[in-house]
Amino acid sequence: MTPTHSARLSPLQAETVWTLEGAEIIERRGGQSRRFPLARLKTLKVTRDGAILGFGLRRMAIPANTYAGGLRPQDHTDSFAPFLEAVAEAAGHAAPGAKLRTARPRNAEPVVWVMVLMGTGAAALLLFAAMAGAWTLGVALAARLLFVTILAAAVLPWMDRA
C-alpha cells in the first residue's frame, strides 16, 4: 500500500493529495501533478503544523491540518504522521546526505512578556510625567522604551531558526 496524505490548503482550492511512489513524492491537486524525486531532497523540517521539504531551489510544504466545511480547521495527523514516517525512511535510503530535523519549540513567550511589560512601563511613564508637568521628558523616555519594544518585536520571526 502506498502511503498517502491529503489536505485542503485553502477553502477555495481543490484537495491536494501527496503520494509516495518509490523514490518520488507526487503532489496532485485537481488535474495538476508535480513530482519531487527524493534523491534531490536536501532538507526535511518537521513541525507540529506540518513539514517543509527542500529540494534545492524548490520547496514543498505539507500541512498536517486541512479545512473542513466552512473555515474550520480539521486535524489530519492520522494520515500525516505515517506518511511523513514513510517519507523520512525513503529519504534515508534515496538521499543519505539530506538534513532531517524537527523544529525546536519557539521560546518567544519571554520576549512577548518583555514587550508587554515595556509597553506598560512606557504608558505609566507618560502618565506620571504628565501628572508632574514634564510631558516632553515623559515622551522622550517613553519613545526610548517603545523603540526597544519594536526591536524585540523584530526578533520574533527569527526565534525558531537554527
Side-chain angles (χ1 to χ4, degrees):
M1 181 174 155
T2 59
T4 62
H5 174 64
S6 62
R8 187 176 298 273
L9 302 177
S10 166
L12 303 175
Q13 291 181 348
E15 187 173 54
T16 304
V17 178
W18 292 273
T19 308
L20 180 64
E21 293 181 2
E24 285 186 330
I25 298 176
I26 301 171
E27 178 185 66
R28 292 185 181 94
R29 183 183 309 138
Q32 302 173 350
S33 68
R34 298 190 307 172
R35 294 182 174 271
F36 295 91
L38 288 176
R40 294 186 181 163
L41 182 68
K42 302 291 183 210
T43 59
L44 171 62
K45 182 179 178 183
V46 181
T47 64
R48 62 181 171 85
D49 297 328
I52 298 173
L53 289 81
F55 296 91
L57 297 177
R58 297 172 65 188
R59 290 177 52 173
M60 176 174 46
I62 303 174
N65 298 328
T66 185
Y67 283 101
L71 295 176
R72 293 186 324 261
Q74 183 180 11
D75 190 20
H76 265 213
T77 54
D78 54 341
S79 68
F80 176 73
F83 175 73
L84 209 57
E85 288 174 5
V87 167
E89 182 180 333
H93 298 298
K99 296 178 188 175
L100 307 176
R101 60 187 171 142
T102 58
R104 298 176 307 191
R106 287 184 72 168
N107 294 326
E109 187 175 347
V111 176
V112 172
W113 272 105
V114 167
M115 291 169 50
V116 168
L117 291 174
M118 290 185 76
T120 305
L125 186 77
L126 276 174
L127 176 70
F128 292 137
M131 287 186 342
W135 179 254
T136 56
L137 179 64
V139 168
L141 292 175
R144 285 168 175 79
L145 276 174
L146 289 177
F147 178 71
V148 174
T149 306
I150 291 169
L151 289 178
V155 168
L156 287 177
W158 284 276
M159 291 294 290
D160 65 343
R161 294 201 179 183

